[in-house]
Amino acid sequence: MTPPTVLQIGPLMPALEAELRERHTVLTAQAITADAPLADRADAARVTAVVTSAPVGVPVAWLPQLPALKVVSSFGVGLDRLPLDAARAASLPVGYTPDVLNDCVADLAMGLLIDGARRIAAADRFVRRGDWLHGRYPVTTRVSGKRLGIVGLGRIGQAVARRAAGFDMAIAYTKRSPAEGVAWRHEPSLLALAAWADFLVLTVAGGPATHHLVNAEVLRALGPQGLLVNVARGSVVDEAALTACLQSGELGGAALDVFEDEPRVPAALLALDNVVLAPHMASGTHDTRQAMADLTLANLRAGLAGEPLPARAA
């Protein structure tokens, strides 16, 4: 029996790629642009599944070129680069990997928050440069007992809130409507939440609806003692406004795992000592990545068999 033909878009973790090659005929496409045609229409006609990742996605223009397509399986939780509307219109199931990465993303959010407040990475640089020989490190900001604002109280946002509760923080959040079954305060206004909070953590989904949701006005409301933590998507923050507010002192600091044009980080951010920079690594643990790979494969198998996907986005 001929194995199913799978189109892999962009790189995936080696173990996942190996599993795909063992069970399927795998075609690869590395270059992604919104309107790029598939290179080989004969191969495209045989593709029954697409496997991709959240940062890479699938160009919507490719779907009509894949007439045998049964399922799209994405490694990650980001949906902004997946053609969900077109998939729904075509009754094409799209799988993703929610829940299995909640804890690791929330762990990193708290790590970034603590680093951003206590300036651990900057203090490390201070010691390594030998500056401690010439004076003491400046005092920093307490974490425990502070006010935490969370933008987007989904699975990851709730995991962050539970961790923050262990630091005796006052917690409030903003989203379109109050979350069910939680005791934390719902604040309808993002601007009001920013003005109230000491720390503002972003866990909201990316996409057009949240593009530059955190703008100069929000950053100024967070203020010269405030800290912005972003483990969501780079597109959620107006990066130029963020840089300007950090440089002017209108914002106290930032701790960022995501950026607008990854992996390119603006030189102005690299030059600032009140910014913690991480390379989009929130889900990057062996445990979580294996769980994500397992769910990616489970979605793929179910879609090819015509069965309900374990985790379906569309």
Side-chain angles (χ1 to χ4, degrees), residues 27 39-47:
L27 309 177
D40 191 327
R41 293 296 295 271
D43 277 348
R46 295 191 285 108
V47 170

Side-chain angles (χ1 to χ4, degrees), residues 11-98:
L12 299 166
M13 59 181 286
L16 177 54
E17 290 189 353
E19 184 80 10
L20 288 173
R21 289 193 299 270
E22 183 178 336
R23 299 175 180 273
H24 309 89
T25 299
V26 178
L27 309 177
T28 59
Q30 301 298 334
I32 305 297
T33 59
D35 57 355
L38 290 171
D40 191 327
R41 293 296 295 271
D43 277 348
R46 295 191 285 108
V47 170
T48 54
V50 167
V51 178
T52 185
S53 63
V56 175
V58 183
V60 66
W62 286 18
L63 295 186
Q65 302 176 59
L66 301 170
L69 189 61
K70 295 181 178 180
V71 63
V72 173
S73 185
S74 180
F75 180 92
V77 294
L79 303 176
D80 47 310
R81 297 192 179 184
L82 297 175
L84 299 184
D85 291 341
R88 291 187 189 101
S91 298
L92 173 69
V94 177
Y96 70 137
T97 61

Side-chain angles (χ1 to χ4, degrees), residues 110-281:
M110 288 302 298
L112 288 172
L113 188 157
I114 294 169
D115 194 336
R118 297 302 308 271
R119 304 285 176 89
I120 298 171
D124 176 87
R125 295 190 293 271
F126 178 86
V127 174
R128 291 175 187 275
R129 289 193 304 262
D131 292 354
W132 196 12
L133 298 171
H134 309 291
R136 296 183 64 83
Y137 191 71
V139 296
T140 59
T141 298
R142 177 177 172 172
V143 173
S144 297
K146 291 299 184 72
R147 294 172 297 194
L148 175 67
I150 301 175
V151 182
L153 198 77
R155 301 176 183 94
I156 294 171
Q158 292 188 33
V160 171
R162 290 193 297 271
R163 284 155 176 75
F167 285 81
D168 298 321
M169 290 188 188
I171 299 165
Y173 67 94
T174 189
K175 64 191 300 282
R176 290 177 183 173
S177 57
E180 295 183 2
V182 303
W184 307 302
R185 179 172 66 87
H186 176 245
E187 171 53 68
S189 166
L190 171 57
L191 198 61
L193 182 70
W196 170 84
D198 297 303
F199 310 128
L200 191 68
V201 177
L202 310 182
T203 62
V204 71
T210 59
H211 184 260
H212 287 188
L213 178 68
V214 177
N215 55 23
E217 187 179 16
V218 172
L219 296 169
R220 293 189 187 108
L222 185 55
Q225 304 303 317
L227 174 71
L228 178 75
V229 179
N230 191 3
V231 292
R233 284 290 181 267
S235 60
V236 175
V237 178
D238 182 338
E239 209 164 76
L242 172 64
T243 303
C245 287
L246 288 165
Q247 290 172 328
S248 68
E250 294 173 289
L251 177 66
L256 311 170
D257 187 46
V258 288
F259 304 87
E260 285 203 87
D261 187 24
E262 297 175 3
R264 288 162 286 278
V265 178
L269 285 180
L270 296 174
L272 293 171
D273 221 29
N274 58 341
V275 181
V276 183
L277 305 169
H280 201 152
M281 59 180 284

